[in-house]
Amino acid sequence: MAAAGTRLDRLLRCIMGFMTGLTPHRKEGKLSTMMVLMNADATAEQIEGVIEHIESRELKAIRIQGSEHVAIGVASVIPPALREPLTQALSSLPGVDHTIQMTRPYKLASREFRRADTIVKVKDVEFGGKQVIAMAGPCSIETRAQLMASAVAIKASGA
């Protein structure tokens, strides 16, 4: 069984935080989500059994295929009264390595998960690199006519 706080645990927490956008906590009365890490040799039937168990509690299960393991995210808010019984039940199912209670949202977007810059190239411009990009435009679009006028002006400028 993997120790809590391993790189894999952190990766799985990042994925679930990014997918759900929830701010889960362990404390009673707060929101909570969970990740189930399957053993590397878990069978398709064992994986499906975990998904069915989660969905039988009217929660959403998301299968995440890794290079060595399958993880199953619970992408629903888990009611406080269900948290411990669900953790115990899932931990005892065949093929389950361990469960992880989620602690923070949006981890895929953090430097903790990905140290390299995310660079998006649009035509000749790279966003997210070392170069500073200045952009301007309306702060909000209130009408279709305003949107179309902005689009025409932007296209005319070469974008």
Coordinates of all heavy atoms in Angstrom, one line a residue, residues 3-86:
A3 N 2.2 5.0 0.7 CA 2.1 5.8 1.9 C 1.4 7.1 1.5 O 1.5 7.6 0.4 CB 3.5 6.2 2.4
A4 N 0.6 7.6 2.4 CA -0.1 8.9 2.2 C 0.9 10.0 1.9 O 2.0 10.0 2.6 CB -1.0 9.3 3.4
G5 N 0.6 10.9 1.0 CA 1.5 12.0 0.7 C 2.6 11.7 -0.4 O 3.5 12.4 -0.6
T6 N 2.5 10.5 -1.0 CA 3.4 10.2 -2.1 C 3.1 11.0 -3.3 O 2.1 11.7 -3.4 CB 3.3 8.7 -2.4 OG1 2.0 8.4 -3.0 CG2 3.6 7.8 -1.3
R7 N 4.0 11.0 -4.2 CA 3.8 11.7 -5.5 C 2.5 11.3 -6.2 O 1.7 12.1 -6.7 CB 4.9 11.5 -6.4 CG 6.2 12.3 -6.0 CD 7.3 12.1 -7.0 NE 6.9 13.0 -8.1 CZ 7.6 12.9 -9.3 NH1 8.6 12.1 -9.5 NH2 7.2 13.7 -10.3
L8 N 2.2 10.0 -6.1 CA 1.0 9.5 -6.8 C -0.3 10.1 -6.1 O -1.2 10.5 -6.7 CB 0.9 8.0 -6.8 CG -0.2 7.3 -7.4 CD1 -0.3 7.8 -8.9 CD2 -0.1 5.8 -7.4
D9 N -0.2 10.1 -4.7 CA -1.4 10.7 -4.0 C -1.5 12.1 -4.4 O -2.7 12.6 -4.6 CB -1.1 10.6 -2.5 CG -1.3 9.2 -1.9 OD1 -1.9 8.4 -2.6 OD2 -0.8 9.0 -0.8
R10 N -0.4 12.9 -4.4 CA -0.5 14.3 -4.8 C -1.1 14.5 -6.2 O -1.9 15.3 -6.5 CB 0.8 15.0 -4.7 CG 1.2 15.1 -3.2 CD 2.4 16.1 -3.0 NE 3.6 15.7 -3.8 CZ 4.5 14.8 -3.3 NH1 4.4 14.3 -2.1 NH2 5.6 14.5 -4.1
L11 N -0.6 13.6 -7.1 CA -1.1 13.7 -8.5 C -2.6 13.4 -8.6 O -3.4 14.1 -9.2 CB -0.4 12.6 -9.4 CG -0.9 12.5 -10.8 CD1 -0.8 13.8 -11.6 CD2 -0.2 11.4 -11.5
L12 N -3.1 12.4 -7.9 CA -4.5 12.1 -7.9 C -5.3 13.2 -7.3 O -6.4 13.5 -7.7 CB -4.7 10.7 -7.1 CG -4.1 9.5 -7.8 CD1 -4.3 8.3 -6.9 CD2 -4.7 9.3 -9.2
R13 N -4.8 13.8 -6.2 CA -5.5 14.9 -5.6 C -5.6 16.1 -6.6 O -6.6 16.8 -6.6 CB -4.9 15.3 -4.3 CG -5.1 14.3 -3.2 CD -4.4 14.7 -1.9 NE -4.5 13.5 -1.0 CZ -4.1 13.5 0.2 NH1 -3.6 14.6 0.7 NH2 -4.2 12.5 0.9
C14 N -4.5 16.3 -7.3 CA -4.5 17.4 -8.3 C -5.6 17.1 -9.4 O -6.4 18.0 -9.7 CB -3.2 17.4 -9.0 SG -1.8 18.1 -8.0
I15 N -5.7 15.9 -9.8 CA -6.6 15.6 -10.9 C -8.1 15.8 -10.4 O -8.9 16.4 -11.1 CB -6.4 14.1 -11.4 CG1 -5.1 14.0 -12.1 CG2 -7.6 13.7 -12.2 CD1 -4.7 12.5 -12.3
M16 N -8.4 15.3 -9.2 CA -9.7 15.4 -8.7 C -10.1 16.9 -8.4 O -11.2 17.3 -8.7 CB -9.9 14.6 -7.4 CG -10.2 13.2 -7.7 SD -11.6 12.9 -8.8 CE -12.9 13.4 -7.7
G17 N -9.1 17.6 -7.8 CA -9.4 19.1 -7.6 C -9.7 19.8 -8.9 O -10.6 20.6 -9.0
F18 N -8.9 19.5 -9.9 CA -9.1 20.1 -11.2 C -10.5 19.7 -11.8 O -11.2 20.6 -12.3 CB -8.0 19.7 -12.1 CG -8.1 20.4 -13.5 CD1 -7.8 21.7 -13.7 CD2 -8.5 19.6 -14.6 CE1 -7.9 22.3 -14.9 CE2 -8.6 20.2 -15.8 CZ -8.3 21.6 -16.0
M19 N -10.8 18.5 -11.7 CA -12.0 18.0 -12.3 C -13.3 18.5 -11.6 O -14.3 18.7 -12.3 CB -12.0 16.4 -12.3 CG -11.0 15.9 -13.3 SD -10.8 14.1 -13.1 CE -12.4 13.5 -12.8
T20 N -13.2 18.6 -10.3 CA -14.4 18.9 -9.6 C -14.6 20.4 -9.3 O -15.7 20.9 -9.2 CB -14.5 18.2 -8.3 OG1 -13.4 18.6 -7.4 CG2 -14.5 16.7 -8.5
G21 N -13.4 21.1 -9.0 CA -13.5 22.5 -8.6 C -14.0 22.7 -7.2 O -14.3 23.8 -6.8
L22 N -14.2 21.6 -6.5 CA -14.7 21.7 -5.1 C -13.6 22.0 -4.2 O -12.4 21.8 -4.5 CB -15.3 20.3 -4.7 CG -16.5 19.9 -5.5 CD1 -16.9 18.5 -5.1 CD2 -17.7 20.8 -5.3
T23 N -13.9 22.6 -3.0 CA -13.0 22.8 -2.0 C -13.3 21.8 -0.9 O -14.0 22.0 0.0 CB -13.1 24.2 -1.4 OG1 -13.1 25.1 -2.5 CG2 -12.0 24.5 -0.4
P24 N -12.8 20.5 -1.0 CA -13.1 19.5 -0.1 C -12.3 19.6 1.2 O -11.2 20.1 1.2 CB -12.8 18.2 -0.8 CG -11.9 18.6 -1.9 CD -12.0 20.1 -2.1
H25 N -12.8 19.2 2.3 CA -12.2 19.2 3.6 C -12.5 17.9 4.3 O -13.5 17.2 4.0 CB -12.7 20.3 4.5 CG -12.4 21.7 3.9 ND1 -11.2 22.3 4.0 CD2 -13.2 22.5 3.2 CE1 -11.2 23.5 3.4 NE2 -12.4 23.6 2.9
R26 N -11.7 17.5 5.3 CA -12.0 16.3 6.1 C -12.9 16.7 7.3 O -13.5 15.8 7.8 CB -10.7 15.7 6.7 CG -9.9 15.0 5.6 CD -8.7 14.4 6.3 NE -8.0 13.7 5.2 CZ -7.4 12.6 5.5 NH1 -7.3 12.1 6.7 NH2 -6.7 11.9 4.5
K27 N -13.0 17.9 7.7 CA -13.7 18.3 8.8 C -15.2 18.1 8.6 O -15.7 18.2 7.6 CB -13.5 19.8 9.2 CG -12.1 20.0 9.6 CD -11.9 21.5 9.9 CE -10.4 21.7 10.3 NZ -10.1 23.1 10.4
E28 N -15.9 17.7 9.7 CA -17.3 17.4 9.7 C -18.1 18.7 9.2 O -17.8 19.8 9.5 CB -17.8 17.1 11.1 CG -19.1 16.3 11.1 CD -19.1 15.0 10.4 OE1 -18.0 14.4 10.2 OE2 -20.1 14.5 10.0
G29 N -19.0 18.5 8.3 CA -19.9 19.6 7.8 C -19.3 20.3 6.6 O -20.0 21.2 6.1
K30 N -18.2 19.9 6.2 CA -17.6 20.6 5.0 C -17.7 19.7 3.8 O -18.0 18.5 3.9 CB -16.1 20.9 5.2 CG -15.8 21.7 6.4 CD -16.2 23.2 6.1 CE -15.8 24.0 7.3 NZ -16.0 25.4 7.1
L31 N -17.5 20.3 2.6 CA -17.5 19.5 1.4 C -16.4 18.5 1.3 O -15.3 18.7 1.9 CB -17.4 20.4 0.2 CG -18.5 21.5 0.0 CD1 -18.2 22.3 -1.2 CD2 -19.9 20.8 -0.1
S32 N -16.6 17.4 0.6 CA -15.6 16.4 0.5 C -15.7 15.6 -0.8 O -16.8 15.4 -1.3 CB -15.7 15.4 1.7 OG -14.8 14.3 1.6
T33 N -14.5 15.3 -1.4 CA -14.5 14.4 -2.5 C -13.5 13.3 -2.2 O -12.8 13.4 -1.2 CB -14.1 15.2 -3.8 OG1 -12.8 15.7 -3.7 CG2 -15.1 16.2 -4.2
M34 N -13.4 12.3 -3.1 CA -12.5 11.2 -2.8 C -11.9 10.7 -4.1 O -12.5 10.8 -5.2 CB -13.3 10.1 -2.1 CG -12.6 8.9 -1.7 SD -13.7 7.6 -1.0 CE -14.4 8.5 0.4
M35 N -10.8 10.0 -4.0 CA -10.1 9.3 -5.1 C -9.8 7.9 -4.6 O -9.4 7.7 -3.4 CB -8.8 10.0 -5.4 CG -8.1 9.4 -6.6 SD -8.8 9.6 -8.2 CE -8.5 11.3 -8.4
V36 N -10.1 6.9 -5.4 CA -9.8 5.5 -5.1 C -8.7 5.0 -6.1 O -8.9 5.1 -7.3 CB -11.0 4.6 -5.3 CG1 -10.7 3.2 -5.0 CG2 -12.2 5.1 -4.5
L37 N -7.6 4.6 -5.5 CA -6.5 4.1 -6.4 C -6.6 2.6 -6.4 O -6.6 2.0 -5.3 CB -5.1 4.6 -5.8 CG -3.9 4.1 -6.6 CD1 -3.9 4.7 -8.0 CD2 -2.6 4.4 -5.9
M38 N -6.6 2.1 -7.6 CA -6.7 0.6 -7.8 C -5.3 0.0 -7.8 O -4.3 0.7 -8.2 CB -7.5 0.3 -9.1 CG -8.9 0.8 -9.1 SD -10.0 0.3 -7.8 CE -10.1 -1.5 -8.2
N39 N -5.2 -1.3 -7.4 CA -3.9 -2.0 -7.6 C -3.5 -2.0 -9.0 O -4.4 -2.0 -9.9 CB -4.0 -3.4 -7.0 CG -4.2 -3.4 -5.5 OD1 -3.5 -2.7 -4.8 ND2 -5.1 -4.3 -5.0
A40 N -2.3 -2.1 -9.3 CA -1.8 -2.2 -10.7 C -2.4 -3.4 -11.4 O -2.6 -3.4 -12.6 CB -0.3 -2.2 -10.8
D41 N -2.6 -4.5 -10.7 CA -3.1 -5.7 -11.3 C -4.6 -5.9 -11.1 O -5.2 -7.0 -11.3 CB -2.4 -6.9 -10.8 CG -2.5 -7.1 -9.3 OD1 -3.1 -6.2 -8.6 OD2 -2.1 -8.1 -8.7
A42 N -5.4 -4.8 -10.8 CA -6.8 -4.9 -10.6 C -7.5 -5.3 -12.0 O -7.1 -4.8 -13.0 CB -7.4 -3.5 -10.2
T43 N -8.4 -6.2 -11.9 CA -9.1 -6.6 -13.1 C -10.2 -5.6 -13.5 O -10.6 -4.8 -12.7 CB -9.8 -8.0 -12.8 OG1 -10.8 -7.8 -11.8 CG2 -8.8 -9.0 -12.3
A44 N -10.7 -5.7 -14.7 CA -11.8 -4.9 -15.2 C -13.0 -5.1 -14.3 O -13.8 -4.1 -14.0 CB -12.1 -5.2 -16.6
E45 N -13.3 -6.3 -13.8 CA -14.5 -6.5 -13.0 C -14.3 -5.8 -11.6 O -15.3 -5.3 -11.1 CB -14.6 -8.1 -12.8 CG -15.1 -8.8 -14.0 CD -13.9 -9.1 -15.0 OE1 -12.7 -9.1 -14.5 OE2 -14.2 -9.3 -16.2
Q46 N -13.1 -5.8 -11.1 CA -12.9 -5.2 -9.8 C -13.1 -3.6 -9.9 O -13.7 -3.0 -9.1 CB -11.5 -5.5 -9.3 CG -11.3 -6.9 -8.8 CD -9.9 -7.3 -8.5 OE1 -8.9 -6.7 -9.0 NE2 -9.7 -8.3 -7.7
I47 N -12.6 -3.1 -11.0 CA -12.7 -1.7 -11.3 C -14.2 -1.3 -11.5 O -14.7 -0.4 -10.9 CB -11.9 -1.3 -12.5 CG1 -10.4 -1.4 -12.2 CG2 -12.2 0.2 -13.0 CD1 -9.5 -1.4 -13.5
E48 N -14.9 -2.1 -12.2 CA -16.3 -1.9 -12.4 C -17.1 -2.0 -11.1 O -18.0 -1.3 -10.9 CB -16.9 -2.8 -13.5 CG -18.2 -2.5 -14.0 CD -18.4 -1.1 -14.5 OE1 -17.5 -0.6 -15.2 OE2 -19.5 -0.5 -14.3
G49 N -16.7 -2.9 -10.3 CA -17.3 -3.1 -9.0 C -17.2 -1.9 -8.1 O -18.1 -1.5 -7.4
V50 N -16.0 -1.2 -8.1 CA -15.8 0.0 -7.4 C -16.7 1.1 -7.9 O -17.4 1.8 -7.2 CB -14.4 0.4 -7.4 CG1 -14.2 1.8 -6.8 CG2 -13.5 -0.6 -6.6
I51 N -16.7 1.2 -9.3 CA -17.6 2.3 -9.9 C -19.1 2.0 -9.5 O -19.8 3.0 -9.2 CB -17.4 2.3 -11.4 CG1 -15.9 2.8 -11.7 CG2 -18.4 3.1 -12.1 CD1 -15.5 2.6 -13.2
E52 N -19.5 0.8 -9.6 CA -20.9 0.5 -9.3 C -21.2 0.8 -7.8 O -22.3 1.3 -7.5 CB -21.2 -1.0 -9.6 CG -21.3 -1.3 -11.1 CD -21.4 -2.8 -11.4 OE1 -21.6 -3.6 -10.4 OE2 -21.4 -3.1 -12.6
H53 N -20.3 0.5 -6.9 CA -20.5 0.8 -5.5 C -20.7 2.3 -5.3 O -21.5 2.7 -4.5 CB -19.3 0.2 -4.7 CG -19.6 0.3 -3.2 ND1 -20.2 -0.7 -2.6 CD2 -19.3 1.3 -2.3 CE1 -20.4 -0.4 -1.3 NE2 -19.8 0.8 -1.1
I54 N -19.8 3.1 -5.9 CA -19.9 4.5 -5.8 C -21.2 5.0 -6.4 O -22.0 5.8 -5.7 CB -18.7 5.2 -6.5 CG1 -17.4 4.9 -5.8 CG2 -18.9 6.7 -6.6 CD1 -16.2 5.2 -6.6
E55 N -21.6 4.6 -7.6 CA -22.8 5.0 -8.2 C -24.1 4.5 -7.5 O -25.1 5.2 -7.6 CB -22.8 4.6 -9.7 CG -21.7 5.4 -10.4 CD -21.6 5.1 -11.9 OE1 -22.1 4.0 -12.3 OE2 -20.9 5.9 -12.6
S56 N -24.0 3.4 -6.8 CA -25.1 2.9 -6.0 C -25.5 3.9 -4.9 O -26.6 3.8 -4.4 CB -24.9 1.5 -5.5 OG -24.0 1.6 -4.4
R57 N -24.5 4.7 -4.5 CA -24.8 5.7 -3.5 C -25.2 7.1 -4.1 O -25.1 8.1 -3.4 CB -23.5 5.9 -2.6 CG -22.9 4.7 -2.1 CD -23.4 4.4 -0.7 NE -22.8 3.1 -0.2 CZ -22.2 3.0 1.0 NH1 -22.0 4.1 1.7 NH2 -21.8 1.9 1.4
E58 N -25.6 7.1 -5.4 CA -26.0 8.2 -6.1 C -24.9 9.3 -6.2 O -25.1 10.5 -6.1 CB -27.3 8.8 -5.5 CG -28.4 7.9 -5.6 CD -29.7 8.4 -5.2 OE1 -29.8 9.6 -4.9 OE2 -30.7 7.6 -5.0
L59 N -23.6 8.8 -6.3 CA -22.5 9.7 -6.5 C -21.9 9.4 -7.9 O -22.1 8.4 -8.5 CB -21.4 9.4 -5.4 CG -21.8 9.6 -4.0 CD1 -20.8 9.0 -3.0 CD2 -22.0 11.0 -3.7
K60 N -21.2 10.4 -8.4 CA -20.6 10.3 -9.8 C -19.2 9.7 -9.7 O -18.4 10.3 -9.0 CB -20.6 11.6 -10.5 CG -20.1 11.6 -11.9 CD -20.2 12.9 -12.6 CE -19.4 12.7 -13.9 NZ -20.1 13.1 -15.0
A61 N -18.9 8.7 -10.4 CA -17.6 8.0 -10.5 C -17.0 8.4 -11.8 O -17.6 8.3 -12.8 CB -17.7 6.5 -10.3
I62 N -15.7 8.7 -11.8 CA -15.0 9.0 -13.0 C -13.7 8.1 -13.0 O -12.9 8.2 -12.1 CB -14.5 10.5 -13.0 CG1 -15.7 11.4 -13.0 CG2 -13.6 10.8 -14.2 CD1 -15.4 12.9 -12.9
R63 N -13.6 7.3 -14.1 CA -12.5 6.4 -14.3 C -11.3 7.2 -14.9 O -11.5 7.9 -15.9 CB -12.9 5.3 -15.2 CG -11.7 4.3 -15.4 CD -12.1 3.3 -16.5 NE -11.0 2.5 -16.8 CZ -10.9 1.2 -16.8 NH1 -12.0 0.5 -16.5 NH2 -9.8 0.6 -17.2
I64 N -10.1 7.2 -14.3 CA -9.0 7.9 -14.8 C -7.9 6.8 -15.0 O -7.4 6.2 -14.1 CB -8.5 8.9 -13.7 CG1 -9.6 9.9 -13.4 CG2 -7.2 9.6 -14.3 CD1 -9.3 10.7 -12.1
Q65 N -7.6 6.6 -16.3 CA -6.6 5.6 -16.7 C -5.2 6.1 -16.6 O -4.9 7.1 -17.3 CB -6.9 5.1 -18.1 CG -6.0 4.0 -18.6 CD -6.2 2.7 -17.8 OE1 -7.3 2.2 -17.6 NE2 -5.1 2.1 -17.3
G66 N -4.3 5.6 -15.8 CA -3.0 6.0 -15.7 C -2.1 5.0 -16.4 O -2.6 4.0 -17.0
S67 N -0.8 5.2 -16.5 CA 0.1 4.3 -17.2 C 0.2 3.0 -16.5 O 0.4 1.9 -17.1 CB 1.5 4.9 -17.4 OG 2.1 5.2 -16.1
E68 N 0.1 2.9 -15.1 CA 0.3 1.7 -14.4 C -1.0 1.4 -13.6 O -1.2 0.2 -13.3 CB 1.5 1.8 -13.4 CG 2.8 1.9 -14.1 CD 3.9 2.1 -13.1 OE1 3.8 1.7 -12.0 OE2 5.0 2.6 -13.5
H69 N -1.7 2.4 -13.1 CA -2.9 2.2 -12.3 C -4.1 2.8 -12.9 O -4.0 3.7 -13.7 CB -2.6 2.8 -10.9 CG -1.5 2.2 -10.1 ND1 -1.7 1.3 -9.2 CD2 -0.2 2.5 -10.1 CE1 -0.6 0.9 -8.6 NE2 0.4 1.7 -9.2
V70 N -5.2 2.4 -12.4 CA -6.5 3.1 -12.7 C -6.9 3.8 -11.4 O -6.8 3.2 -10.3 CB -7.6 2.1 -13.1 CG1 -9.0 2.8 -13.1 CG2 -7.3 1.5 -14.5
A71 N -7.3 5.0 -11.5 CA -7.9 5.7 -10.3 C -9.3 6.0 -10.6 O -9.7 6.1 -11.8 CB -7.1 7.0 -10.1
I72 N -10.1 6.0 -9.6 CA -11.6 6.3 -9.8 C -11.9 7.5 -8.9 O -11.7 7.4 -7.6 CB -12.4 5.1 -9.4 CG1 -12.1 3.9 -10.3 CG2 -13.9 5.5 -9.5 CD1 -12.6 2.6 -9.8
G73 N -12.3 8.6 -9.5 CA -12.6 9.8 -8.7 C -14.1 9.8 -8.4 O -14.9 9.4 -9.2
V74 N -14.4 10.3 -7.2 CA -15.8 10.5 -6.8 C -16.0 12.0 -7.0 O -15.5 12.8 -6.2 CB -16.0 10.1 -5.3 CG1 -17.5 10.4 -5.0 CG2 -15.7 8.7 -5.1
A75 N -16.6 12.4 -8.1 CA -16.7 13.8 -8.5 C -18.0 14.3 -8.0 O -18.7 15.1 -8.7 CB -16.6 13.9 -10.0
S76 N -18.4 14.0 -6.8 CA -19.7 14.5 -6.2 C -19.3 14.9 -4.8 O -18.3 14.5 -4.2 CB -20.7 13.4 -6.1 OG -21.0 12.8 -7.4
V77 N -20.1 15.8 -4.3 CA -20.0 16.2 -2.9 C -20.4 15.0 -2.1 O -21.5 14.5 -2.2 CB -20.8 17.4 -2.5 CG1 -20.7 17.7 -1.0 CG2 -20.3 18.6 -3.3
I78 N -19.6 14.5 -1.2 CA -19.9 13.4 -0.3 C -20.5 13.9 1.0 O -19.8 14.6 1.7 CB -18.7 12.5 -0.1 CG1 -18.1 12.0 -1.4 CG2 -19.0 11.3 0.8 CD1 -16.7 11.3 -1.2
P79 N -21.7 13.6 1.3 CA -22.3 14.0 2.5 C -21.5 13.6 3.7 O -20.9 12.5 3.7 CB -23.7 13.4 2.6 CG -24.0 13.0 1.2 CD -22.6 12.7 0.5
P80 N -21.3 14.4 4.8 CA -20.5 14.1 5.9 C -20.8 12.7 6.5 O -19.9 12.0 6.9 CB -20.8 15.2 6.9 CG -21.2 16.4 6.1 CD -21.9 15.8 4.9
A81 N -22.1 12.4 6.6 CA -22.5 11.1 7.3 C -22.1 9.9 6.4 O -21.9 8.8 6.9 CB -24.0 11.1 7.5
L82 N -21.8 10.1 5.1 CA -21.5 9.0 4.2 C -20.0 8.8 4.1 O -19.5 7.8 3.6 CB -22.1 9.2 2.8 CG -21.9 8.2 1.8 CD1 -22.4 6.8 2.2 CD2 -22.7 8.6 0.5
R83 N -19.2 9.9 4.4 CA -17.8 9.9 4.2 C -17.0 8.7 4.7 O -16.3 7.9 4.0 CB -17.2 11.2 4.7 CG -16.4 11.9 3.8 CD -15.9 13.2 4.3 NE -17.0 14.2 4.3 CZ -17.1 15.1 5.2 NH1 -16.3 15.3 6.1 NH2 -18.1 16.0 5.1
E84 N -17.1 8.4 6.0 CA -16.4 7.3 6.7 C -16.9 6.0 6.2 O -16.1 5.1 5.8 CB -16.5 7.4 8.2 CG -15.2 7.8 8.9 CD -13.9 7.5 8.2 OE1 -13.4 6.4 8.2 OE2 -13.3 8.5 7.7
P85 N -18.2 5.7 6.2 CA -18.7 4.4 5.7 C -18.3 4.2 4.3 O -17.9 3.0 3.9 CB -20.2 4.5 5.8 CG -20.5 5.6 6.8 CD -19.3 6.6 6.7
L86 N -18.3 5.2 3.4 CA -17.9 5.0 2.0 C -16.4 4.7 1.9 O -16.0 3.8 1.2 CB -18.2 6.2 1.2 CG -17.9 6.1 -0.3 CD1 -18.7 5.0 -1.0 CD2 -18.2 7.5 -1.0

